[in-house]
Amino acid sequence: MNKPTEERSPADFLPEKYPLLTFSEEDWSVFCHNCETLELPDPNPRRSVFEALYSHLVGVNQWLNLTRLTTPADYLKFSLLDSLTLLPVLESLCEEQSPIVDLGSGGGYPGLPLMTCMTTQDFTLIDARQKKVDFLNASIPLIPRSGKGAAASFRGKDVSRVRPDLYHHAEIVTARAVGKGVELLPDAYELLAPGGVFVLMKGQSWPTEEAPIFTEACPAFGFDVAEDTELSLVPGDPVRHIILAVKKGRQDLRKMRRYLA
């Protein structure tokens, strides 16, 4: 019988504790085709790393709730491919060794795939749940890279107290499947340097359910919405959105309250 999560030892997070899984040639070929269609880099040189990350995720997911996407086909499309759609955006916004923060990393997406492809930037993956941070810190050594990489447990709005070295420091903050965009603006503001960019990933309901209030609220939180890009992972799929908001000015605490009530 599996041990309860609270009884787990640090050794239970180690990748070598779990069997190495591989993607079938059929699943991998579909993934590579989708990458090519989206004009993403050839993933073949990183296949072994992606398989190692997948194996670790599936192993730990047996006892720690990290994801519902555990079949290879679902993982490759909805975790890996979806995360990698941020690559062209981030590469256009930052330079080598640029500090990047992934907000609410959870099971590691988009942070881990981006770290695999952007090997010189300094990544910090943050999540409020320590068990998930333990998982992330065990995953990061699977990725060959020269830039720094680590995970930490705190909420973005608490960064000045918990991690002053990251306070107003990041050039980019990413967030995927974390919560409502407007509720993440205070966290992104505390993490980003002036002129830094908040990169938010959202699904097809974004234009009707979140975009109007997000756009209206951004100036109160010190942001300007710069871009909203639409894409589909494969032709015929629902549209997804990549939203860029640039940190431009000061926060208006009085106006902010109406959006956070």
Side-chain angles (χ1 to χ4, degrees):
M1 185 172 63
N2 286 339
K3 294 182 290 184
T5 301
E6 60 269 17
E7 296 180 11
R8 293 285 169 172
S9 70
D12 289 320
F13 289 95
L14 297 177
E16 54 264 34
K17 186 178 178 69
Y18 304 101
L20 180 62
L21 306 175
T22 58
F23 304 128
S24 71
E25 291 305 317
E26 180 180 1
D27 287 338
W28 183 253
S29 177
V30 170
F31 171 67
C32 290
H33 173 73
N34 291 335
C35 286
E36 183 177 6
T37 300
L38 291 170
E39 299 183 348
L40 300 175
D42 177 13
N44 279 297
R46 299 176 178 87
R47 178 172 178 171
S48 61
V49 178
F50 292 141
E51 288 177 332
L53 291 172
Y54 171 67
S55 303
H56 187 218
L57 177 72
V58 170
V60 175
N61 196 64
Q62 297 174 65
W63 54 269
L64 178 63
N65 182 25
L66 296 168
T67 183
R68 293 173 295 154
L69 304 172
T70 56
T71 68
D74 282 350
Y75 170 82
L76 285 167
K77 180 180 180 181
F78 297 110
S79 293
L80 193 51
L81 183 67
D82 187 52
S83 297
L84 294 179
T85 59
L86 284 190
L87 265 180
V89 177
L90 267 59
E91 289 177 340
S92 71
L93 293 173
C94 67
E95 301 176 352
E96 290 188 1
Q97 297 182 330
S98 291
I100 299 172
V101 172
D102 186 29
L103 179 62
S105 292
Y109 298 84
L112 294 176
L114 293 174
M115 290 179 70
T116 303
C117 297
M118 303 178 71
T119 58
T120 64
Q121 286 77 13
D122 294 342
F123 275 83
T124 303
L125 314 185
I126 69 173
D127 197 277
R129 294 148 293 190
Q130 183 61 51
K131 291 291 184 183
K132 294 191 175 183
V133 167
D134 293 340
F135 161 76
L136 293 169
N137 277 322
S139 298
I140 289 171
L142 295 170
I143 304 171
R145 56 195 324 275
S146 59
K148 297 177 183 178
S153 178
F154 64 92
R155 297 185 184 277
K157 60 186 178 183
D158 298 326
V159 64
S160 63
R161 175 176 58 84
V162 180
R163 286 290 302 271
D165 58 308
L166 297 175
Y167 181 52
H168 293 175
H169 179 67
E171 291 186 23
I172 295 171
V173 169
T174 60
R176 172 182 181 266
V178 182
K180 291 183 178 180
V182 69
E183 295 173 351
L184 300 174
L185 288 171
D187 301 78
Y189 185 89
E190 296 300 288
L191 291 162
L192 283 167
V197 183
F198 182 31
V199 182
L200 185 63
M201 304 181 76
K202 285 290 179 177
Q204 61 180 326
S205 64
W206 167 259
T208 56
E209 295 185 5
E210 290 196 57
I213 192 71
F214 183 84
T215 302
E216 176 188 291
C218 268
F221 290 87
F223 287 88
D224 286 344
V225 178
E227 190 175 322
D228 182 349
T229 301
E230 297 182 355
L231 61 86
S232 295
L233 295 182
V234 300
D237 265 16
V239 168
R240 296 173 180 237
H241 295 260
I242 298 175
I243 302 97
L244 308 185
V246 182
K247 180 178 173 179
K248 286 289 190 179
R250 295 180 178 273
Q251 294 179 319
D252 187 325
L253 297 178
R254 181 180 59 84
K255 292 181 179 179
M256 285 168 55
R257 292 191 187 100
R258 77 177 69 164
Y259 300 106
L260 299 176

